[in-house]
Amino acid sequence: MAESDYPKPSVTVDITIFAIKDNDLKVLLIKRSIEPFKNMWAIPGGFVRINESLEQAAKRELEEETGVKDVYLEQLFTFGDVERDPRGRVITVAYFALVNSEKIKLEAKTDVSEAKWFSVSKLPKLAFDHEKILQYALKRLRWKFEYTTVAFSLLPKKFTLTQLQKIYEIVFNKKFDKRNFRKKILSLSLIEKTKEKKKDVSHRPPQLYSFRRKIGDIVEII
Amino acid sequence: MAESDYPKPSVTVDITIFAIKDNDLKVLLIKRSIEPFKNMWAIPGGFVRINESLEQAAKRELEEETGVKDVYLEQLFTFGDVERDPRGRVITVAYFALVNSEKIKLEAKTDVSEAKWFSVSKLPKLAFDHEKILQYALKRLRWKFEYTTVAFSLLPKKFTLTQLQKIYEIVFNKKFDKRNFRKKILSLSLIEKTKEKKKDVSHRPPQLYSFRRKIGDIVEII
DNA sequence: CCAAAAGTGTTAGTGATACACCCATGT
DNA sequence: ACATGGGTGTATCACTAACACTTTTGG
């Protein structure tokens, strides 16, 4: 296992960035300004620098695109088919991120012509093998919502059970029974009542809850 | 996103190869014959060639090490910390494989000084970050046994329920209740009785079952 | 007839689902 | 007073877990 004398592939990271906006699950895409796939939409990404880890590269790209740090970020899969990039051998390590839509200020420093949020139910045709990457990310995202506490990373410190339920309904694109949902969540002992209720609502003021752990802590609940 | 002008990292694949042998879960390790980590044990692996996909690279390495094809192989995770290899920047795409111990003929063409099966409960100190990779592989392997039908890929076409149960007991390193295990397995409708019973056993001859799907078909049973 | 593993059922507890009405506030 | 979402309990069903004895063969 001596150092390789063969030509090396290039390595990129691509990040599927999800957010919940306008009661919908969105994904951030950029419009390519150069060939190949000029003017097509693509998942944001870029080359891994020689002195940064994969996760650092993903975080850097993410911050360049959305201006946010401290979001949920997870490695997804590495795509390395020989023909996946017409320019040559490019292996891409795919990540997915979940950002809090309130914190995003789009296009901080992007060098791309356009960046836009798309509903996952109305996606354009994508460059490279990005359609495959995105579908894979979506599947994993749903898995994470089902079996971990990622959902809480999208909520403010104090939140109502209805806010939480809304997020699940958007991600899974289906309605849940209010009573059963609450029973389930409360039985996990992950959250606790605060002493406050939400004010200035034109109906019965809902109880505010808080997550019992550090924000950003993701726990398996399998 | 033009072609990178920066120095490129090297890309390797490492494969954690599991097998059940001697009523124990084993993993194949090789003894390094050169620096760095000379004489330490390591997970087998090697450089990805410019004209082969990641999975092809993993299969090639696997066959070089064990002589087997057609085994269960799955991508695990990509490890890319800057300092993980003292020789320079090396990103490794980790895979795990599960081979049928009957089919293995060790060291087909390996260029390494020694290859050996280790019980997962008695592992030596490992080179690089391979301890981390191996523990990750083990966790995923158990997950796969719990939620998919990988176990069947280790059995002959016709097998007894006790054989199946043994495999689970070895992988999870714990005993299961015979009646509950059988009830559970049979309720999944994954296997069916054959017309045969196992012969030449010095006790009541057990029923032989067969998997209802193509061999190597892995199904989620979540 | 003895040793060895195969085969088989019941009960209790736990978690999931389906379902409808009253409550507290703002306007 | 009305509109709006908040909040709550019960019954059924499916799945899990604990547990012990009889059966069939070879030697």
Side-chain angles (χ1 to χ4, degrees), chain B residues 60-79:
Chain B
R60 178 175 51 73
E61 289 290 338
L62 178 62
E63 203 193 333
E64 284 173 15
E65 294 298 337
T66 62
V68 282
K69 293 175 154 192
D70 303 321
V71 298
Y72 183 72
L73 182 70
E74 176 179 317
Q75 189 184 306
L76 203 58
F77 197 80
T78 300
F79 295 83

Side-chain angles (χ1 to χ4, degrees), chain A residues 1 52 75 78 87 89, chain B residues 1-2 52 75 78 87 89:
Chain A
M1 198 157 137
E52 67 183 354
Q75 190 184 305
T78 300
R87 292 166 300 182
R89 186 68 198 280
Chain B
M1 198 159 136
E52 68 184 353
Q75 189 184 306
T78 300
R87 292 165 301 182
R89 186 69 198 279

Side-chain angles (χ1 to χ4, degrees), chain B residues 8-205:
Chain B
K8 296 174 181 175
S10 296
V11 181
T12 59
V13 286
D14 287 330
I15 308 127
T16 307
I17 306 170
F18 291 105
I20 291 177
K21 289 170 83 81
D22 314 323
N23 276 334
D24 200 4
L25 180 61
K26 309 270 190 183
V27 70
L28 186 69
L29 299 175
I30 58 169
K31 196 171 196 173
R32 290 180 57 80
S33 54
I34 52 167
E35 293 292 353
F37 300 106
K38 187 170 175 176
N39 292 324
M40 278 182 80
W41 294 91
I43 296 170
F47 289 98
V48 175
R49 297 180 186 161
I50 202 74
N51 57 354
E52 68 184 353
S53 71
L54 297 169
E55 189 162 325
Q56 281 163 0
K59 278 189 179 148
R60 178 175 51 73
E61 289 290 338
L62 178 62
E63 203 193 333
E64 284 173 15
E65 294 298 337
T66 62
V68 282
K69 293 175 154 192
D70 303 321
V71 298
Y72 183 72
L73 182 70
E74 176 179 317
Q75 189 184 306
L76 203 58
F77 197 80
T78 300
F79 295 83
D81 281 357
V82 176
E83 305 294 346
R84 61 174 296 282
D85 190 320
R87 292 165 301 182
R89 186 69 198 279
V90 183
I91 290 169
T92 194
V93 184
Y95 278 79
F96 88 86
L98 186 57
V99 305
N100 195 319
S101 61
E102 295 160 21
K103 294 188 183 163
I104 315 160
K105 36 178 180 193
L106 247 192
E107 68 210 313
K109 320 148 202 168
T110 44
D111 54 347
V112 287
S113 56
E114 204 181 341
K116 213 175 120 183
W117 291 100
F118 284 83
S119 165
V120 295
S121 59
K122 269 181 259 166
L123 292 169
K125 205 153 176 298
L126 296 180
F128 305 101
D129 52 359
H130 287 187
E131 173 69 21
K132 192 160 88 177
I133 297 178
L134 205 160
Q135 290 307 324
Y136 195 92
L138 187 54
K139 194 176 149 191
R140 180 87 135 253
L141 177 75
R142 290 190 169 131
W143 192 93
K144 283 279 154 177
F145 269 81
E146 194 162 356
Y147 298 116
T148 77
T149 57
V150 252
F152 296 104
S153 68
L154 292 176
L155 290 168
K157 276 213 186 69
K158 295 176 183 178
F159 53 87
T160 68
L161 293 177
T162 302
Q163 281 178 289
L164 181 63
Q165 186 172 344
K166 275 260 165 58
I167 289 177
Y168 274 90
E169 291 180 341
I170 290 166
V171 169
F172 289 100
N173 193 28
K174 82 185 195 201
K175 295 278 173 202
F176 295 100
D177 179 85
K178 204 190 341 177
R179 281 172 288 194
N180 292 338
F181 183 84
R182 290 157 109 91
K183 233 179 301 168
K184 179 69 196 289
I185 295 291
L186 293 172
S187 76
L188 299 171
S189 309
L190 290 166
I191 60 174
E192 57 193 7
K193 277 189 187 180
T194 66
K195 284 170 191 150
E196 297 170 63
K197 301 196 177 220
K198 194 167 197 174
K199 292 211 63 173
D200 302 321
V201 286
S202 76
H203 52 77
R204 177 168 173 177

Side-chain angles (χ1 to χ4, degrees), chain A residues 72-74 96 98 137 139-155 164 167-168 171-172 181 184-185 188 190-191 211 213-214 216-222, chain B residues 139 143 147 222:
Chain A
Y72 184 72
L73 181 70
E74 175 179 318
F96 88 86
L98 187 58
K139 196 176 148 191
R140 181 87 135 255
L141 178 74
R142 290 191 170 132
W143 192 93
K144 284 279 153 176
F145 270 80
E146 195 161 357
Y147 298 115
T148 77
T149 57
V150 249
F152 296 103
S153 67
L154 292 176
L155 290 168
L164 182 62
I167 289 177
Y168 274 89
V171 169
F172 290 101
F181 182 84
K184 179 67 199 287
I185 296 291
L188 298 171
L190 290 167
I191 61 174
F211 192 39
R213 317 191 171 242
K214 277 205 309 287
D217 241 20
I218 312 290
V219 193
E220 292 218 356
I221 49 178
I222 213 164
Chain B
K139 194 176 149 191
W143 192 93
Y147 298 116
I222 214 163

